[in-house]
Every structure is written in C-alpha cells, then in structure tokens.
Amino acid sequence: MRWRHALAASSILMTAAVEASAASLRYAFQGDVGTLDPHGLNETFTYGFVGNVYEGLTRRGPDLAMEPSLAVNWEMVEPTRWRFQLREGVTFHNGNSFNADDVLFSADRARHPASGFAARLAGVTDVIKIDDYTVDFVTAEPNPILPYEWDTWYIMDQEWAEANGAETPTDIANQTGSFAHMHTNGTGPFVIQQREADLKTVAIPNPEWWDTPTHNLDEVIFQPIANDSTRVAALLSGEMDLIYPVPIQDIRRVDANSDTRVLTGPEFRTIFLGMDQTRDELPGSDAAGRNPFKDKRVRQAIYQAIDIEAIQKKIMRGLSEPTAAMVAPEIEGYPEDLERYPYDPEAARDLLAEAGYPDGFRVTLDCPNDRYVNDEAICQAIVSMLAKIGIKIDLLAQTKSLFFAKVLGQGGYDTSFYLLGWTPNTFDSYSPLYNLVQSRDAATGAGTFNLGGYSSPEIDALAATILVETDSARRNAMIDEAWTLLHEDVGYIPLHHQGLAWGVRDGVDVVQRPDNQLFWQWVTVEP
C-alpha cells in the first residue's frame, strides 16, 4: 500500500516557538470523548484527547520517541526497583503544586477495579515516596519495559480529587461517573473550559504550562460528528479545520477540493473479532445448552468464511492490510511467519458439520458504529459472509459509548461475539498479550479487554516470563511462540490493520502519528 503519510510541516516547529498569530482549531471526530477522567476509559481517542490536559511521567514526541515529562529522568536502581526523579516547579491548572504524593495517589487510583488502566502498572507491588520529588516503583519481578506504559498513565492532583469526591475512577463499564468525568485539573498544555457531552468541548492554552508551546492556538473547539457525509461537508465548507476519519469513499473528493487535503498513513491498530469462550451456553443463541465458540473448529470455520480480501477492496478500498497477527508489523514482537487461514467457505461448512452444527446457529454480533474505520460496514459484510455457511447473525451496531458499556458491563462481559480494535500503547506485544489474551484476573487487571474469556495456561506462563525477560532475543522468541499458540488455537480472528485518513484544510499543519492520537500542542493554524 502507498501511504501519503504526514508528520506534517508543523514537525519542523518542534524546536522553536511559534511566531504566527493565535488562531482557533475547530475539529471533529466520528464519536465523542468517552470521559474526561484520565483513569476512566482505556480507549485511544479518549486517552489521546485527555492527554492534551493531563500528563504522564513520560511522553512520546512526534516521532513516538519516549521523552521526559513530569519525570525528568529515571533508572533501574535494582532489578526490581525503578527510581523516578520528578519535575519541580510544575503546577496543576488550579495552582496546586505537583509532587510525589500525586504520583502515589494516581498509581492507586489507576489500579482501582473501576479503572481501565491497571495494566499500566502491571507487576508493581509498591510505590514509595523517597522525598517530594523522588518516587520508587517496586516490582515483583524485573520489568524492563515499565516506563514504556506511562505516557498514557496520567497524573492527577490528589488534593483536588479528594476535595471533589473523585478518589475513585469513573466506571465506564457500569456507567457511574465521578466529578472527574466532566471536570479536569491537569498539568498539561491545555485547560478544558467547556464540556457538553455529545455536543462540544472547548479548551484554551494553559498559560502556566511548564514547557514551551509550539502551537499558535488560543482556542480548541471539538465536536463529535457521527454522520460521515456531515463530517466531510463541515470540512469542505470551512466549518471545520480538521476531521477524522475521512470516509474512504470521500478521500478523492476531499483531495480534489482546492482548499483541503487528506493525510493518510499506517495506523498501529489491529481490527479483530472475539468470541465468548467462557460460558457453557451462548446467550441469545439457538444452540440450546451449548456454546459453539468453545470448539476450535467453529472458530476456524468463522475465520475461513470471511473473505478478508473482499473487505479490503470493497469496504476499506485499500486502506487496510489483511493480517494473521494481532499486532502491526511496527510493533515489537510482530510474528512475521504467521499466515491467515485461507478463505474457504466449503471447508468452513465442513468444520461446522464436524463440530455438530451442520445447519449453523444464531448469535448476536456486537459492533461499534463510530469507533473504527467503516466498523459497521465491516460487520455487515461479515454478517453476509457467515450467512453463507449457515451462521445467522443478529447485528447490534451502536455508538461506542453504548458498545463499551455493554461489552464491559456490570455482572460480566455482556457479549457473545464482537468486533474490537487495539493499538498497543507501548508499541510492544506485551500490551495486547496482557490486556487481550491473558486469562482474566480482576486482582491484577490482566485480561481486562479479554471480553470472550479466552484462556491458555501456556500463553499465561509465557506472558509472565515475557514481562520480566531482559534479553531481547529470548524475549522476542517467547512473544513469537505466544502469538503462534494463539493463532493455532484460533483464540481470536484478526482481520486487518486499518489505515489513517485525516482531512485538513489548507493553512493547518498537524502531526499525524501512527497511534492516531491528535496533540494540539503540535498544531498551527493560519488565521
């Protein structure tokens, strides 16, 4: 695939202050921010948006290189102890000083059962305040990649949270919020000025930010626009400066317009299907008393009934790369030798018959309709493909807020069959292994997004060793083994790595990173 990828011209400005006059950035995404709580929803758009307001101990630059942020340096002082020196003189938006107490508080809050961010501190057994600007993190075993999780583990003001009853994270799964769900108090370059859920969010620059601004913005106005045509029209008319994603079918139209262009590039996100492999009886299915997904032959039948090349050509129009892997090629530990099971409806029907389902069965497919590129269209295509082997799908496509509330909901994971996407925030295979593949463990946070309850003792053992292995060759060999075992077991059905398509008007310079996070700090807009 040929990408017209852009670390756009604004990247040149990263080393110098912007001299242009201030301007507003007006932009739209296909869905709203899930929450303003920095420890609420572990979803790329949400934590990327919140990352303009809150900061972690580390951060990643325009080229994804890790940089100091609220910590100025760090080192492994013992095999199981990391020491972080914190940045002095930093204040939260309300004027409170940042110090070690806030780090300890944020570590406890992120590991709360309601948080989606426990994985960020996987293996941490203790957080110790050495002094006001020195913190030690003690791990059960050596963890060579611990800091790589922390650009999206954000630090909150303990005093502000306690004063406002926000000690507990917003529980997205159970739709119970806290003060931090709609209000913010970070240390980052922007301050939320107005928040109207599903309508508009307004931010202004933080005049007391500790770092040097490289943008020229005096205001950021974000609006969710779910309808593709409306979103594109808003860009073409000049109502919006930036929109994403641009619907694939509209890329040429946006490029042909004299005042707009499309930035395309690879995204480190894998789109895949998951299946309930836990319950003995599949809810909502006509396979009475049974769960077909517990049988590998059924899972493989579904895999081989999906014409991924047709999805790439007709649904994604080339803006995807079919894959047999659960991680993109740019991710550490990518298994290069895996090959997709071949598209073969006849073989799929035979597998179903061998498993005892010659006439197929009925099941509900949960799908977001405003989260991934052409997500509902992909699900609709899969519905049609599975019908040809006798599997009757009741498609439940809904906005991501309802989708995540359902599949992560109270009383268990309320889904039998689902479409999901994952970008490893560490750019390392351990993140999806821990979050998606390891057996669910509420105490440690492992398997939080393992919605179907897949479980493999062999992979669990490998993942535990991968976490602490410091030799990169041995570590990558174990990662490869884990991905191979998952593939052979058809624990998931990977579909493709989706591409990025952002629409911008002339005069707007923006950094488009492959993790699909938009940072206002790197935006300049000609007034």
Side-chain angles (χ1 to χ4, degrees):
M1 181 184 305
R2 295 178 63 86
W3 301 108
R4 199 176 82 183
H5 184 54
L7 284 181
S10 59
S11 61
I12 298 172
L13 301 175
M14 294 301 102
T15 58
V18 174
E19 298 179 358
S21 58
S24 294
L25 171 67
R26 304 159 299 166
Y27 78 103
F29 184 65
Q30 61 185 349
D32 197 15
V33 185
T35 180
L36 296 181
D37 191 321
H39 306 140
L41 180 61
N42 185 11
E43 181 246 351
T44 303
F45 178 74
T46 293
Y47 66 63
F49 185 98
V50 172
N52 290 288
V53 178
Y54 288 93
E55 297 174 295
L57 298 182
T58 66
R59 69 183 183 190
R60 291 188 182 271
D63 60 356
L64 295 175
M66 195 163 67
E67 302 174 348
S69 184
L70 293 181
V72 293
N73 56 67
W74 50 90
E75 61 178 334
M76 186 183 288
V77 294
E78 298 174 9
T80 59
R81 182 181 290 252
W82 284 86
R83 177 160 294 169
F84 282 72
Q85 297 296 140
L86 306 183
R87 190 176 299 277
E88 300 187 35
V90 175
T91 59
F92 290 93
H93 296 160
N94 68 350
N96 288 348
S97 296
F98 159 73
N99 57 43
D101 292 330
D102 302 308
V103 176
L104 270 62
F105 170 77
S106 298
D108 287 341
R109 194 175 189 272
R111 290 181 291 179
H112 187 279
S115 170
F117 290 82
R120 301 297 195 271
L121 293 105
V124 173
T125 59
D126 201 6
V127 186
I128 301 170
K129 174 182 175 179
I130 305 301
D131 57 43
D132 281 347
Y133 294 98
T134 309
V135 177
D136 280 6
F137 293 85
V138 180
T139 59
E141 301 287 345
N143 184 346
I145 65 168
L146 187 71
Y148 289 80
E149 291 272 9
W150 287 358
D151 58 302
T152 54
W153 165 46
Y154 300 129
I155 306 302
M156 291 184 71
D157 176 10
Q158 179 180 14
E159 183 180 347
W160 176 84
E162 292 176 347
N164 290 287
E167 299 97 325
T168 301
T170 297
D171 189 341
I172 297 298
N174 300 322
Q175 297 184 304
T176 55
S178 74
F179 187 79
H181 179 53
M182 294 289 288
H183 304 85
T184 61
N185 182 39
T187 59
F190 288 86
V191 180
I192 298 297
Q193 188 178 52
Q194 177 185 350
R195 169 68 175 156
E196 297 178 66
D198 298 319
L199 292 175
K200 181 171 68 173
T201 304
V202 179
I204 58 175
N206 172 15
E208 304 301 324
W209 190 39
W210 58 268
D211 204 357
T212 302
T214 56
H215 62 84
N216 72 328
L217 306 176
D218 58 8
E219 183 181 52
V220 176
I221 302 171
F222 164 70
Q223 292 178 254
I225 303 179
N227 183 274
D228 287 345
S229 298
T230 304
R231 194 165 62 252
V232 171
L235 176 68
L236 297 179
S237 69
E239 179 185 350
M240 290 291 159
D241 301 308
L242 182 153
I243 66 166
Y244 68 112
V246 175
I248 296 168
Q249 63 272 18
D250 290 317
I251 289 178
R252 288 185 180 178
R253 180 183 173 204
V254 173
D255 270 339
N257 184 56
S258 60
D259 299 323
T260 59
R261 66 194 189 281
V262 177
L263 308 180
T264 59
E267 183 180 2
F268 297 167
R269 182 181 304 280
T270 303
I271 305 298
F272 58 89
L273 296 172
M275 299 146 285
D276 178 356
Q277 298 168 56
T278 302
R279 287 173 280 206
D280 292 328
E281 183 171 0
L282 202 59
S285 173
D286 57 4
R290 295 183 293 174
N291 181 347
F293 293 137
K294 282 193 167 187
D295 193 315
K296 173 190 168 182
R297 292 170 295 185
V298 173
R299 302 194 297 270
Q300 185 171 334
I302 292 174
Y303 197 131
Q304 293 197 247
I306 295 173
D307 186 349
I308 195 63
E309 300 296 335
I311 290 175
Q312 183 197 35
K313 293 174 183 176
K314 297 178 182 179
I315 306 298
M316 299 300 291
R317 302 195 185 190
L319 199 70
S320 67
E321 287 289 348
T323 183
M326 291 289 288
V327 291
E330 297 84 359
I331 302 302
E332 185 71 24
Y334 171 73
E336 296 182 1
D337 295 332
L338 290 188
E339 295 183 2
R340 286 189 62 85
Y341 291 98
Y343 169 59
D344 190 336
E346 184 176 346
R349 283 189 289 269
D350 290 343
L351 285 166
L352 281 180
E354 289 175 19
Y357 303 94
D359 300 320
F361 55 90
R362 180 175 294 277
V363 66
T364 297
L365 173 60
D366 288 300
C367 182
N369 60 17
D370 62 352
R371 179 59 194 96
Y372 311 115
V373 177
N374 284 352
D375 40 17
E376 185 173 3
I378 293 168
C379 290
Q380 289 171 340
I382 289 170
V383 169
S384 177
M385 293 170 185
L386 295 186
K388 295 177 181 178
I389 64 168
I391 296 179
K392 299 167 283 294
I393 301 292
D394 297 315
L395 177 60
L396 179 57
Q398 51 189 338
T399 184
K400 67 177 182 177
S401 60
L402 296 176
F403 170 81
F404 283 118
K406 180 178 188 293
V407 302
L408 293 170
Q410 188 173 15
Y413 294 88
D414 182 16
T415 184
S416 298
F417 190 29
Y418 59 92
L419 180 135
L420 198 67
W422 194 266
T423 301
N425 67 296
T426 57
F427 314 115
D428 183 273
S429 284
Y430 182 74
S431 167
L433 284 171
Y434 180 87
N435 286 282
L436 299 174
V437 183
Q438 280 192 251
S439 300
R440 293 198 299 239
D441 186 338
T444 65
T448 299
F449 283 82
N450 182 354
L451 308 183
Y454 173 79
S455 183
S456 165
E458 294 86 356
I459 295 178
D460 289 346
L462 282 167
T465 307
I466 289 165
L467 175 64
V468 302
E469 179 57 64
T470 57
D471 182 276
S472 60
R474 287 198 297 265
R475 185 174 186 272
N476 281 336
M478 288 187 289
I479 291 173
D480 190 81
E481 183 181 356
W483 288 135
T484 300
L485 287 170
L486 182 70
H487 174 74
E488 292 173 348
D489 205 19
V490 197
Y492 285 96
I493 301 174
L495 299 175
H496 58 240
H497 311 306
Q498 70 178 27
L500 297 175
W502 295 8
V504 295
R505 73 167 178 83
D506 288 350
V508 176
D509 285 322
V510 58
V511 171
Q512 184 189 56
R513 298 196 325 191
D515 61 356
N516 203 25
Q517 294 187 59
L518 171 63
F519 288 99
W520 313 330
Q521 159 69 357
W522 301 324
V523 177
T524 59
V525 177
E526 290 182 8

